[in-house]
Amino acid sequence: MRMQLGRWRFPIGTGFALLVGVVFTACCPKGPRPPEPVAGCPRGKPPSTQAELDACLQKLEFDDSYEVIDEQPLAVITTSQGQPCPGDTTGSPLRCRYGPVAKIQPLIGAHRYSEEELMEGRIIAKLSVDSTEKEEYKKYGLMPGEATYWWVQTDKTRRGGRSFFLTTTGRAGEIDTLSRPLIRKLDDDPEYKDPDSRSRDSGSRYQGSNSTSEKLPKLRRAIVRWIWSLEDETAKGKCGSGSCQ
């Protein structure tokens, strides 16, 4: 397992990491609710233009505190370069190498989305690759120097739906959209136990990115990570009363 960049770095053969945006609460026991979408932000479908995305981003805040973000070099699966992929005991010709360093930040309040809001569709996290990186990460549409916003829409089962990764392009009025199936695990599913639950309910105190040294009361937190499997890196983020992948 990789740990957050700047804390530990393991050789690629040791394993790949977990990434996930982290969602924090504010000054009340359950934290702040995310704001309602403003006029110009489409309902029931993801933004398709820069103007629509800008409208949907109005009033949203993404946490940039060291304790809650994750920043990792993402794995790239190839058939030539790199070492055998971690956990692969099949003798597969696939190889793994490190790709660009990617950062993920939680939307503050995403853990308080209602089921109705998630079925309508909401942004839950921001992803980015620094402009100094030389490589994109195609699975999530990440481009050096551009921001990518993770928009999810659940279906009637509450456990499925679609993820849309919306990337700014610098082209006038245009964004790139990449869609992937959504898997959602509910907190109250008896067979599901979030491995990050101890982090959320621990006694640690939240210091916002612009906070002073004053400590706020104990707050709940949701943590997102990159999950490594032989099917490639997978983004995991808190979305209402569940975990989205």
Side-chain angles (χ1 to χ4, degrees):
M1 176 189 299
R2 289 174 317 204
M3 303 302 289
Q4 188 173 2
L5 191 68
R7 296 183 182 179
W8 290 278
R9 177 73 67 83
F10 290 101
I12 193 167
T14 304
F16 287 105
L18 307 163
L19 168 164
V20 180
V22 180
V23 179
F24 276 97
T25 60
C27 56
C28 54
K30 293 184 179 180
R33 282 191 48 79
E36 288 292 320
V38 303
C41 178
R43 304 295 182 99
K45 63 178 183 178
S48 59
T49 66
Q50 187 65 56
E52 289 181 346
L53 178 58
D54 289 343
C56 293
L57 292 173
Q58 285 190 39
K59 301 181 181 180
L60 298 188
E61 295 185 43
F62 299 92
D63 203 304
D64 198 32
S65 300
Y66 177 77
E67 308 92 295
V68 305
I69 66 171
D70 200 359
E71 192 169 16
Q72 300 288 349
L74 302 185
V76 176
I77 296 179
T78 72
T79 55
S80 56
Q81 304 177 41
Q83 303 176 24
C85 294
D88 186 358
T89 60
T90 65
S92 166
L94 297 179
R95 295 292 181 265
C96 285
R97 63 175 178 82
Y98 282 126
V101 173
K103 179 179 181 180
I104 186 167
Q105 301 168 246
L107 171 69
I108 296 176
H111 65 298
R112 297 201 62 195
Y113 279 136
S114 68
E115 297 301 320
E116 291 75 18
E117 288 170 327
L118 290 172
M119 290 182 69
E120 186 177 69
R122 290 293 190 271
I123 290 172
I124 65 170
K126 176 182 176 181
L127 300 83
S128 59
V129 171
D130 194 85
S131 60
T132 59
E133 293 285 340
K134 306 298 183 184
E135 185 178 6
E136 61 187 29
Y137 198 75
K138 293 183 179 180
K139 179 176 180 179
Y140 294 106
L142 306 183
M143 298 289 293
E146 302 293 346
T148 296
Y149 298 93
W150 186 4
W151 188 95
V152 302
Q153 184 175 39
T154 56
D155 58 23
K156 292 181 180 180
T157 71
R158 301 169 60 209
R159 293 168 172 82
R162 301 293 298 179
S163 283
F164 291 84
F165 295 89
L166 314 171
T167 303
T168 59
T169 64
R171 302 188 301 269
E174 296 183 21
I175 60 174
D176 287 339
T177 301
L178 189 152
S179 175
R180 300 187 62 83
L182 174 68
I183 298 173
R184 184 169 181 241
K185 298 180 180 180
L186 299 179
D187 294 343
D188 56 6
D189 284 344
E191 72 278 7
Y192 176 63
K193 180 173 178 57
D194 189 343
D196 294 314
S197 60
R198 287 192 304 169
S199 299
R200 282 202 306 275
D201 297 323
S202 68
S204 55
R205 297 171 183 269
Y206 168 62
Q207 295 285 319
S209 55
N210 297 316
S211 67
T212 65
S213 59
E214 179 183 358
K215 291 185 176 180
L216 298 176
K218 176 183 175 182
L219 302 173
R220 290 172 56 87
R221 59 178 62 184
I223 296 178
V224 292
R225 294 285 184 266
W226 282 112
I227 306 297
W228 168 254
S229 75
L230 291 178
E231 296 179 352
D232 209 351
E233 302 273 14
T234 301
K236 170 192 166 190
K238 189 67 177 174
C239 50
S241 59
S243 176
C244 286
Q245 298 181 13

Short mmCIF file of all heavy atoms in Angstrom, two decimals, residues 165-214:
data_model
loop_
_atom_site.label_atom_id
_atom_site.label_comp_id
_atom_site.label_asym_id
_atom_site.label_seq_id
_atom_site.Cartn_x
_atom_site.Cartn_y
_atom_site.Cartn_z
N PHE A 165 -16.60 12.27 -15.02
CA PHE A 165 -15.40 13.04 -14.67
C PHE A 165 -15.29 14.18 -15.67
O PHE A 165 -15.08 13.97 -16.87
CB PHE A 165 -14.17 12.13 -14.66
CG PHE A 165 -14.25 11.08 -13.59
CD1 PHE A 165 -14.85 9.86 -13.83
CD2 PHE A 165 -13.77 11.34 -12.31
CE1 PHE A 165 -14.96 8.89 -12.83
CE2 PHE A 165 -13.87 10.39 -11.30
CZ PHE A 165 -14.46 9.17 -11.57
N LEU A 166 -15.45 15.40 -15.18
CA LEU A 166 -15.57 16.60 -16.01
C LEU A 166 -14.28 17.40 -15.91
O LEU A 166 -13.94 17.91 -14.83
CB LEU A 166 -16.76 17.44 -15.55
CG LEU A 166 -18.06 16.64 -15.30
CD1 LEU A 166 -19.10 17.52 -14.64
CD2 LEU A 166 -18.58 16.06 -16.61
N THR A 167 -13.56 17.53 -17.00
CA THR A 167 -12.24 18.14 -16.98
C THR A 167 -12.24 19.45 -17.76
O THR A 167 -12.69 19.51 -18.91
CB THR A 167 -11.19 17.20 -17.60
OG1 THR A 167 -11.20 15.96 -16.89
CG2 THR A 167 -9.80 17.80 -17.53
N THR A 168 -11.73 20.51 -17.13
CA THR A 168 -11.56 21.78 -17.83
C THR A 168 -10.50 21.60 -18.92
O THR A 168 -9.57 20.81 -18.77
CB THR A 168 -11.14 22.89 -16.86
OG1 THR A 168 -9.90 22.51 -16.22
CG2 THR A 168 -12.19 23.10 -15.77
N THR A 169 -10.64 22.32 -20.01
CA THR A 169 -9.75 22.12 -21.16
C THR A 169 -8.96 23.35 -21.55
O THR A 169 -7.96 23.23 -22.26
CB THR A 169 -10.56 21.69 -22.39
OG1 THR A 169 -11.45 22.76 -22.76
CG2 THR A 169 -11.37 20.43 -22.10
N GLY A 170 -9.38 24.51 -21.12
CA GLY A 170 -8.74 25.73 -21.60
C GLY A 170 -9.29 26.18 -22.93
O GLY A 170 -9.01 27.30 -23.39
N ARG A 171 -10.10 25.32 -23.59
CA ARG A 171 -10.75 25.71 -24.83
C ARG A 171 -12.03 26.47 -24.48
O ARG A 171 -12.76 26.09 -23.56
CB ARG A 171 -11.09 24.49 -25.68
CG ARG A 171 -9.89 23.63 -26.05
CD ARG A 171 -10.27 22.54 -27.06
NE ARG A 171 -11.30 21.65 -26.57
CZ ARG A 171 -11.05 20.53 -25.91
NH1 ARG A 171 -9.80 20.16 -25.65
NH2 ARG A 171 -12.04 19.75 -25.51
N ALA A 172 -12.30 27.51 -25.22
CA ALA A 172 -13.42 28.40 -24.89
C ALA A 172 -14.73 27.63 -24.78
O ALA A 172 -15.21 27.05 -25.75
CB ALA A 172 -13.54 29.48 -25.96
N GLY A 173 -15.28 27.62 -23.58
CA GLY A 173 -16.60 27.06 -23.37
C GLY A 173 -16.68 25.56 -23.32
O GLY A 173 -17.77 25.00 -23.14
N GLU A 174 -15.55 24.84 -23.49
CA GLU A 174 -15.61 23.38 -23.62
C GLU A 174 -15.03 22.68 -22.40
O GLU A 174 -14.09 23.15 -21.78
CB GLU A 174 -14.83 22.92 -24.86
CG GLU A 174 -15.40 23.42 -26.18
CD GLU A 174 -14.64 22.88 -27.36
OE1 GLU A 174 -13.96 21.84 -27.22
OE2 GLU A 174 -14.70 23.51 -28.44
N ILE A 175 -15.62 21.50 -22.09
CA ILE A 175 -15.06 20.60 -21.09
C ILE A 175 -15.02 19.19 -21.69
O ILE A 175 -15.77 18.88 -22.62
CB ILE A 175 -15.87 20.59 -19.77
CG1 ILE A 175 -17.32 20.13 -20.03
CG2 ILE A 175 -15.83 21.95 -19.10
CD1 ILE A 175 -18.13 19.97 -18.75
N ASP A 176 -14.13 18.36 -21.19
CA ASP A 176 -14.08 16.96 -21.59
C ASP A 176 -14.85 16.14 -20.56
O ASP A 176 -14.70 16.35 -19.35
CB ASP A 176 -12.64 16.46 -21.67
CG ASP A 176 -11.90 17.01 -22.88
OD1 ASP A 176 -12.58 17.43 -23.85
OD2 ASP A 176 -10.66 17.04 -22.87
N THR A 177 -15.64 15.19 -21.02
CA THR A 177 -16.46 14.37 -20.14
C THR A 177 -16.12 12.90 -20.33
O THR A 177 -16.09 12.41 -21.46
CB THR A 177 -17.96 14.58 -20.42
OG1 THR A 177 -18.28 15.96 -20.22
CG2 THR A 177 -18.81 13.73 -19.49
N LEU A 178 -15.85 12.22 -19.25
CA LEU A 178 -15.59 10.79 -19.27
C LEU A 178 -16.56 10.12 -18.32
O LEU A 178 -16.69 10.53 -17.16
CB LEU A 178 -14.14 10.52 -18.86
CG LEU A 178 -13.60 9.09 -19.03
CD1 LEU A 178 -12.09 9.14 -19.25
CD2 LEU A 178 -13.91 8.24 -17.81
N SER A 179 -17.27 9.09 -18.79
CA SER A 179 -18.29 8.42 -18.00
C SER A 179 -17.85 7.02 -17.63
O SER A 179 -17.25 6.30 -18.45
CB SER A 179 -19.61 8.36 -18.78
OG SER A 179 -20.58 7.62 -18.07
N ARG A 180 -18.14 6.61 -16.40
CA ARG A 180 -17.83 5.27 -15.92
C ARG A 180 -18.99 4.76 -15.07
O ARG A 180 -19.71 5.56 -14.46
CB ARG A 180 -16.55 5.27 -15.07
CG ARG A 180 -15.31 5.77 -15.80
CD ARG A 180 -14.07 5.57 -14.93
NE ARG A 180 -13.85 4.17 -14.63
CZ ARG A 180 -13.23 3.33 -15.45
NH1 ARG A 180 -12.76 3.75 -16.61
NH2 ARG A 180 -13.07 2.07 -15.11
N PRO A 181 -19.18 3.44 -15.01
CA PRO A 181 -20.22 2.91 -14.12
C PRO A 181 -19.91 3.26 -12.66
O PRO A 181 -18.75 3.33 -12.27
CB PRO A 181 -20.14 1.39 -14.35
CG PRO A 181 -19.45 1.22 -15.66
CD PRO A 181 -18.50 2.38 -15.78
N LEU A 182 -20.95 3.48 -11.89
CA LEU A 182 -20.81 3.81 -10.48
C LEU A 182 -21.19 2.61 -9.62
O LEU A 182 -22.21 1.95 -9.86
CB LEU A 182 -21.73 4.98 -10.12
CG LEU A 182 -21.81 5.38 -8.64
CD1 LEU A 182 -20.49 5.97 -8.17
CD2 LEU A 182 -22.95 6.36 -8.41
N ILE A 183 -20.34 2.31 -8.65
CA ILE A 183 -20.66 1.30 -7.62
C ILE A 183 -20.76 2.04 -6.29
O ILE A 183 -19.84 2.77 -5.91
CB ILE A 183 -19.57 0.22 -7.55
CG1 ILE A 183 -19.47 -0.54 -8.88
CG2 ILE A 183 -19.86 -0.75 -6.41
CD1 ILE A 183 -18.32 -1.50 -8.94
N ARG A 184 -21.87 1.84 -5.59
CA ARG A 184 -22.06 2.52 -4.31
C ARG A 184 -22.36 1.50 -3.23
O ARG A 184 -23.22 0.63 -3.39
CB ARG A 184 -23.21 3.53 -4.40
CG ARG A 184 -23.42 4.36 -3.13
CD ARG A 184 -24.39 5.48 -3.41
NE ARG A 184 -24.61 6.32 -2.24
CZ ARG A 184 -25.80 6.48 -1.65
NH1 ARG A 184 -26.87 5.87 -2.12
NH2 ARG A 184 -25.92 7.27 -0.60
N LYS A 185 -21.65 1.60 -2.13
CA LYS A 185 -21.86 0.72 -0.99
C LYS A 185 -22.42 1.56 0.16
O LYS A 185 -21.81 2.56 0.55
CB LYS A 185 -20.55 0.04 -0.59
CG LYS A 185 -20.00 -0.84 -1.71
CD LYS A 185 -18.71 -1.52 -1.32
CE LYS A 185 -18.19 -2.40 -2.45
NZ LYS A 185 -16.92 -3.08 -2.10
N LEU A 186 -23.55 1.16 0.67
CA LEU A 186 -24.24 1.93 1.70
C LEU A 186 -23.66 1.64 3.07
O LEU A 186 -23.29 0.51 3.38
CB LEU A 186 -25.73 1.62 1.69
CG LEU A 186 -26.46 1.95 0.38
CD1 LEU A 186 -27.93 1.57 0.49
CD2 LEU A 186 -26.30 3.41 0.01
N ASP A 187 -23.60 2.67 3.90
CA ASP A 187 -23.04 2.52 5.24
C ASP A 187 -23.80 1.49 6.06
O ASP A 187 -23.22 0.84 6.94
CB ASP A 187 -23.06 3.87 5.97
CG ASP A 187 -22.14 4.89 5.32
OD1 ASP A 187 -21.26 4.48 4.53
OD2 ASP A 187 -22.30 6.09 5.60
N ASP A 188 -25.12 1.35 5.82
CA ASP A 188 -25.91 0.44 6.64
C ASP A 188 -26.07 -0.95 6.03
O ASP A 188 -26.82 -1.77 6.54
CB ASP A 188 -27.29 1.04 6.94
CG ASP A 188 -28.05 1.41 5.67
OD1 ASP A 188 -27.55 1.10 4.55
OD2 ASP A 188 -29.15 1.99 5.78
N ASP A 189 -25.36 -1.22 4.92
CA ASP A 189 -25.37 -2.58 4.38
C ASP A 189 -24.65 -3.50 5.36
O ASP A 189 -23.51 -3.24 5.74
CB ASP A 189 -24.67 -2.64 3.03
CG ASP A 189 -25.53 -2.06 1.91
OD1 ASP A 189 -26.74 -1.91 2.13
OD2 ASP A 189 -24.98 -1.76 0.83
N PRO A 190 -25.29 -4.59 5.80
CA PRO A 190 -24.67 -5.44 6.82
C PRO A 190 -23.36 -6.07 6.37
O PRO A 190 -22.49 -6.35 7.19
CB PRO A 190 -25.74 -6.51 7.08
CG PRO A 190 -26.63 -6.47 5.88
CD PRO A 190 -26.63 -5.06 5.41
N GLU A 191 -23.19 -6.28 5.05
CA GLU A 191 -21.97 -6.92 4.57
C GLU A 191 -20.84 -5.92 4.29
O GLU A 191 -19.74 -6.31 3.93
CB GLU A 191 -22.26 -7.71 3.29
CG GLU A 191 -22.52 -6.87 2.06
CD GLU A 191 -23.95 -6.34 1.96
OE1 GLU A 191 -24.72 -6.53 2.93
OE2 GLU A 191 -24.29 -5.75 0.92
N TYR A 192 -21.12 -4.62 4.49
CA TYR A 192 -20.12 -3.60 4.16
C TYR A 192 -19.65 -2.88 5.41
O TYR A 192 -20.44 -2.37 6.19
CB TYR A 192 -20.68 -2.57 3.18
CG TYR A 192 -19.74 -1.44 2.87
CD1 TYR A 192 -18.52 -1.68 2.24
CD2 TYR A 192 -20.03 -0.13 3.24
CE1 TYR A 192 -17.63 -0.66 1.96
CE2 TYR A 192 -19.15 0.90 2.96
CZ TYR A 192 -17.96 0.64 2.32
OH TYR A 192 -17.08 1.67 2.05
N LYS A 193 -18.35 -2.86 5.59
CA LYS A 193 -17.75 -2.09 6.68
C LYS A 193 -16.67 -1.21 6.09
O LYS A 193 -15.68 -1.71 5.54
CB LYS A 193 -17.15 -2.99 7.76
CG LYS A 193 -16.52 -2.20 8.91
CD LYS A 193 -16.10 -3.11 10.03
CE LYS A 193 -15.42 -2.33 11.14
NZ LYS A 193 -16.26 -1.25 11.67
N ASP A 194 -16.88 0.09 6.15
CA ASP A 194 -15.92 1.03 5.58
C ASP A 194 -14.62 0.97 6.38
O ASP A 194 -14.62 1.25 7.57
CB ASP A 194 -16.50 2.45 5.64
CG ASP A 194 -15.66 3.46 4.88
OD1 ASP A 194 -14.49 3.16 4.59
OD2 ASP A 194 -16.19 4.54 4.58
N PRO A 195 -13.49 0.60 5.74
CA PRO A 195 -12.23 0.52 6.49
C PRO A 195 -11.75 1.86 7.01
O PRO A 195 -10.88 1.91 7.87
CB PRO A 195 -11.26 -0.05 5.45
CG PRO A 195 -11.84 0.32 4.13
CD PRO A 195 -13.33 0.24 4.33
N ASP A 196 -12.34 2.95 6.52
CA ASP A 196 -11.93 4.28 6.98
C ASP A 196 -12.82 4.79 8.11
O ASP A 196 -12.68 5.92 8.54
CB ASP A 196 -11.98 5.29 5.83
CG ASP A 196 -10.95 4.98 4.77
OD1 ASP A 196 -9.80 4.70 5.14
OD2 ASP A 196 -11.30 5.00 3.59
N SER A 197 -13.76 3.95 8.61
CA SER A 197 -14.70 4.43 9.62
C SER A 197 -13.99 4.88 10.89
O SER A 197 -14.40 5.82 11.54
CB SER A 197 -15.72 3.35 9.94
OG SER A 197 -15.08 2.19 10.45
N ARG A 198 -12.90 4.21 11.24
CA ARG A 198 -12.18 4.61 12.46
C ARG A 198 -11.58 6.00 12.29
O ARG A 198 -11.51 6.78 13.22
CB ARG A 198 -11.08 3.60 12.77
CG ARG A 198 -11.60 2.30 13.31
CD ARG A 198 -10.49 1.47 13.86
NE ARG A 198 -9.44 1.24 12.88
CZ ARG A 198 -8.26 0.72 13.17
NH1 ARG A 198 -7.97 0.36 14.40
NH2 ARG A 198 -7.37 0.52 12.22
N SER A 199 -11.15 6.33 11.07
CA SER A 199 -10.59 7.66 10.82
C SER A 199 -11.67 8.72 10.96
O SER A 199 -11.44 9.79 11.48
CB SER A 199 -9.97 7.71 9.42
OG SER A 199 -8.94 6.78 9.31
N ARG A 200 -12.88 8.40 10.46
CA ARG A 200 -13.96 9.37 10.53
C ARG A 200 -14.37 9.64 11.97
O ARG A 200 -14.69 10.75 12.34
CB ARG A 200 -15.19 8.87 9.76
CG ARG A 200 -15.09 9.01 8.27
CD ARG A 200 -16.49 9.00 7.67
NE ARG A 200 -17.26 7.83 8.09
CZ ARG A 200 -17.20 6.68 7.47
NH1 ARG A 200 -16.39 6.50 6.47
NH2 ARG A 200 -17.96 5.67 7.88
N ASP A 201 -14.39 8.60 12.78
CA ASP A 201 -14.93 8.75 14.12
C ASP A 201 -13.85 8.89 15.18
O ASP A 201 -14.11 8.79 16.36
CB ASP A 201 -15.81 7.54 14.45
CG ASP A 201 -17.00 7.46 13.52
OD1 ASP A 201 -17.51 8.53 13.18
OD2 ASP A 201 -17.39 6.35 13.13
N SER A 202 -12.62 9.08 14.76
CA SER A 202 -11.53 9.21 15.72
C SER A 202 -11.61 10.55 16.43
O SER A 202 -12.39 11.41 16.08
CB SER A 202 -10.18 9.10 14.99
OG SER A 202 -9.99 10.24 14.16
N GLY A 203 -10.76 10.73 17.41
CA GLY A 203 -10.80 11.96 18.17
C GLY A 203 -10.00 13.08 17.55
O GLY A 203 -9.84 14.13 18.16
N SER A 204 -9.51 12.89 16.33
CA SER A 204 -8.71 13.95 15.71
C SER A 204 -9.58 15.15 15.42
O SER A 204 -10.77 15.04 15.18
CB SER A 204 -8.09 13.44 14.41
OG SER A 204 -9.08 12.93 13.57
N ARG A 205 -8.97 16.31 15.41
CA ARG A 205 -9.71 17.54 15.22
C ARG A 205 -9.36 18.14 13.87
O ARG A 205 -8.24 18.08 13.41
CB ARG A 205 -9.40 18.54 16.34
CG ARG A 205 -9.83 18.01 17.71
CD ARG A 205 -9.32 18.92 18.81
NE ARG A 205 -9.65 18.38 20.11
CZ ARG A 205 -10.75 18.67 20.77
NH1 ARG A 205 -11.64 19.45 20.23
NH2 ARG A 205 -10.98 18.16 21.95
N TYR A 206 -10.35 18.75 13.27
CA TYR A 206 -10.20 19.26 11.92
C TYR A 206 -9.62 20.66 11.92
O TYR A 206 -10.06 21.54 12.62
CB TYR A 206 -11.57 19.27 11.23
CG TYR A 206 -11.60 20.03 9.95
CD1 TYR A 206 -10.82 19.64 8.89
CD2 TYR A 206 -12.41 21.14 9.81
CE1 TYR A 206 -10.85 20.33 7.71
CE2 TYR A 206 -12.45 21.83 8.63
CZ TYR A 206 -11.66 21.42 7.58
OH TYR A 206 -11.69 22.11 6.40
N GLN A 207 -8.59 20.86 11.08
CA GLN A 207 -8.02 22.17 10.85
C GLN A 207 -8.19 22.49 9.38
O GLN A 207 -7.57 21.88 8.52
CB GLN A 207 -6.52 22.17 11.21
CG GLN A 207 -6.25 21.94 12.68
CD GLN A 207 -6.57 23.17 13.50
OE1 GLN A 207 -6.27 24.28 13.10
NE2 GLN A 207 -7.17 22.98 14.66
N GLY A 208 -9.05 23.41 9.04
CA GLY A 208 -9.26 23.76 7.63
C GLY A 208 -8.01 24.38 7.04
O GLY A 208 -7.10 24.82 7.73
N SER A 209 -7.97 24.45 5.69
CA SER A 209 -6.77 24.93 5.03
C SER A 209 -6.47 26.38 5.36
O SER A 209 -5.35 26.83 5.25
CB SER A 209 -6.93 24.76 3.51
OG SER A 209 -8.10 25.42 3.07
N ASN A 210 -7.50 27.14 5.76
CA ASN A 210 -7.30 28.54 6.10
C ASN A 210 -7.52 28.80 7.59
O ASN A 210 -7.76 29.91 8.02
CB ASN A 210 -8.26 29.43 5.28
CG ASN A 210 -7.98 29.32 3.80
OD1 ASN A 210 -6.82 29.34 3.39
ND2 ASN A 210 -9.02 29.19 3.00
N SER A 211 -7.43 27.73 8.39
CA SER A 211 -7.77 27.86 9.80
C SER A 211 -6.61 28.45 10.59
O SER A 211 -5.47 28.45 10.17
CB SER A 211 -8.13 26.50 10.38
OG SER A 211 -7.00 25.67 10.40
N THR A 212 -6.95 28.94 11.77
CA THR A 212 -5.93 29.39 12.70
C THR A 212 -5.55 28.21 13.57
O THR A 212 -5.98 27.09 13.36
CB THR A 212 -6.48 30.53 13.57
OG1 THR A 212 -7.54 30.00 14.38
CG2 THR A 212 -7.03 31.67 12.70
N SER A 213 -4.76 28.45 14.60
CA SER A 213 -4.35 27.37 15.49
C SER A 213 -5.46 26.94 16.43
O SER A 213 -5.32 25.97 17.14
CB SER A 213 -3.12 27.80 16.30
OG SER A 213 -3.43 28.95 17.06
N GLU A 214 -6.58 27.70 16.45
CA GLU A 214 -7.68 27.35 17.34
C GLU A 214 -8.27 26.00 16.92
O GLU A 214 -8.54 25.76 15.75
CB GLU A 214 -8.77 28.41 17.27
CG GLU A 214 -9.97 28.10 18.15
CD GLU A 214 -11.07 29.12 18.01
OE1 GLU A 214 -10.85 30.08 17.25
OE2 GLU A 214 -12.12 28.96 18.65
#
